[in-house]
Amino acid sequence: NGNNLDTSKYPGYKNLIDTLKGKHSNWNFTIMETGLDFGQVILAETGNKSLIQGKSGSWVSGSFDSSWDIASQSTVMYYMDPRNWMQDNSSLFQFMALGTYVDVSDDELYNAVSGTPYLHDMSIVSQINKACRENSMNPFYVIARIMQEQGSTKPSSTFAMNDGGVTYYNIFNIGASGKGSQQVIANALQTAKNNGWTSVSACISGGIDRLKSYINRRQDTLYLNKFDVESYSGLYAYQYMQNIMAPQTEAGKMYNLMKNAGLLDKNFTFIIPVYTGMKSTKYLSPDVVGDLGPIDIQIKAGHTNVAIRESASTNSTRKTKVNGGFKMLSIKRDIDGWHEIMYNNGNGYEIGYIMFNPEWLEQIADQTNCSETM
């Protein structure tokens, strides 16, 4: 529970864990001390490792291909901060330990996938359940992964691919990477051919073996499938997907399947990773944070004696006090609730910090008539 946490080292987790334990006494929480600095993790997970769809502006840092964009640093911060997802809903289930078989009958599993026509086949369901039982895996995890990769209502082009009169299956989209659908399908087909997946049964067996490899590497949650912050077999390299939203969306599918089967009250274990160097409050979504700077800001009219300090802390030395109308350049904001600013001290420009509060700060139009170059 929250009392086991070093709250000075890992702020913001205790209340979330205690609230969840209060609602679900049979749920267990394991703290995973990664030993990693959060800032270094974000740098490692930014770039082609983390892609996003359907977003723009501060959510993205560039285009990857015709369908995907590269997630910005603030987007990666938002999705990687566990405190954003430790709620009593489906988002928590991205931290659920997957290497334990959830006892469910074939009929219960069959009824749970009734809304997914291409999986609503007792032969497929029975094969998945049997393989999961033998491999100590959560069958809802396996089905949710198929739905994540193939779709909820009808399968994608990689489910069954014909080549030279032979049908190959890649229902887990293993090896299905690349730029553009043509390259993705070609790579998925080649993977299926290399593994001899000429039947759904063979593909299920091969896919579960691949999923089991993540559990064997201690990446045994959806979060750790995406973000390889478990140092047991190396860092950042062995990641199932590039889609940064996949842990949440796949957790939602798994949660709903288990809810349909009436299994949400079982003794689940959730593995919560923690990092050093995190700010005391949650990293907000890019929609909330907005432009990280530089932007021009000023003290609102009617406010006086607003402190500019040497560092982002109310305990740091106060450099000066400023009043309404005082203009500054915000170099970066959201530093634990502060702006890092450049301001004119009367003799030149220097760096300081001012607490971010819309009560006394406002953004103003960027300067466009200056002649400085850089």
Side-chain angles (χ1 to χ4, degrees), residues 158-215:
T158 59
F159 189 94
M161 301 165 285
N162 187 278
D163 185 70
V166 179
T167 301
Y168 295 92
Y169 299 86
N170 194 338
I171 64 178
F172 293 92
N173 270 341
I174 295 171
S177 60
K179 289 192 174 184
S181 60
Q182 186 174 355
Q183 185 181 2
V184 167
I185 294 170
N187 288 336
L189 173 61
Q190 190 59 53
T191 301
K193 292 172 72 173
N194 292 344
N195 288 278
W197 293 339
T198 55
S199 67
V200 172
S201 176
C203 184
I204 288 173
S205 178
I208 287 178
D209 282 345
R210 183 65 62 90
L211 296 182
K212 184 72 175 179
S213 71
Y214 285 85
I215 292 172

Side-chain angles (χ1 to χ4, degrees), residues 4-234:
N4 304 114
L5 273 170
D6 182 346
T7 55
S8 63
K9 190 175 183 180
Y10 307 120
Y13 288 88
K14 181 184 184 320
N15 290 341
L16 295 170
I17 290 176
D18 288 346
T19 298
L20 288 166
K21 285 288 289 184
K23 293 181 179 179
H24 304 277
S25 59
N26 54 334
W27 286 3
N28 306 300
F29 293 85
T30 297
I31 300 303
M32 173 186 167
E33 291 195 275
T34 65
L36 301 173
D37 175 76
F38 193 62
Q40 293 300 313
V41 170
I42 298 304
L43 289 176
E45 292 287 357
T46 301
N48 291 352
K49 278 188 169 62
S50 296
L51 306 180
I52 195 166
Q53 271 185 329
K55 297 289 187 179
S56 59
S58 54
W59 286 89
V60 304
S61 63
S63 176
F64 180 73
D65 62 18
S66 59
S67 300
W68 293 89
D69 291 307
I70 298 171
S72 66
Q73 278 197 19
S74 56
T75 300
V76 178
M77 284 177 167
Y78 173 60
Y79 278 103
M80 288 201 72
D81 185 349
R83 299 170 299 180
N84 283 320
W85 313 108
M86 293 170 63
Q87 311 297 327
D88 189 14
N89 56 35
S90 63
S91 66
L92 176 69
F93 279 67
Q94 67 182 289
F95 305 112
M96 183 174 136
L98 304 172
T100 302
Y101 177 69
V102 175
D103 192 12
V104 59
S105 69
D106 289 353
D107 287 334
E108 288 173 320
L109 203 56
Y110 179 76
N111 291 332
V113 298
S114 61
T116 308
Y118 68 92
L119 287 176
H120 199 228
D121 180 314
M122 183 57 83
S123 174
I124 294 177
V125 166
S126 296
Q127 291 178 60
I128 292 174
N129 202 17
K130 180 176 183 291
C132 289
R133 189 182 300 111
E134 293 173 348
N135 287 277
S136 296
M137 290 179 64
N138 184 338
F140 295 97
Y141 160 50
V142 173
I143 290 175
R145 175 57 53 86
I146 295 173
M147 293 170 62
Q148 176 70 22
E149 295 294 337
Q150 293 294 332
S152 295
T153 55
K154 61 181 181 180
S156 74
S157 301
T158 59
F159 189 94
M161 301 165 285
N162 187 278
D163 185 70
V166 179
T167 301
Y168 295 92
Y169 299 86
N170 194 338
I171 64 178
F172 293 92
N173 270 341
I174 295 171
S177 60
K179 289 192 174 184
S181 60
Q182 186 174 355
Q183 185 181 2
V184 167
I185 294 170
N187 288 336
L189 173 61
Q190 190 59 53
T191 301
K193 292 172 72 173
N194 292 344
N195 288 278
W197 293 339
T198 55
S199 67
V200 172
S201 176
C203 184
I204 288 173
S205 178
I208 287 178
D209 282 345
R210 183 65 62 90
L211 296 182
K212 184 72 175 179
S213 71
Y214 285 85
I215 292 172
N216 291 340
R217 296 168 70 101
R218 302 180 185 171
Q219 294 172 247
D220 51 347
T221 70
L222 294 174
Y223 181 97
L224 294 174
N225 276 194
K226 167 66 186 91
F227 304 114
D228 183 8
V229 294
E230 167 57 68
S231 60
Y232 177 69
S233 297

Side-chain angles (χ1 to χ4, degrees), residues 319-320 326 343-350:
K319 303 181 78 168
T320 187
F326 186 83
Y343 68 101
N344 192 331
N345 64 8
N347 298 311
Y349 289 89
E350 62 179 293

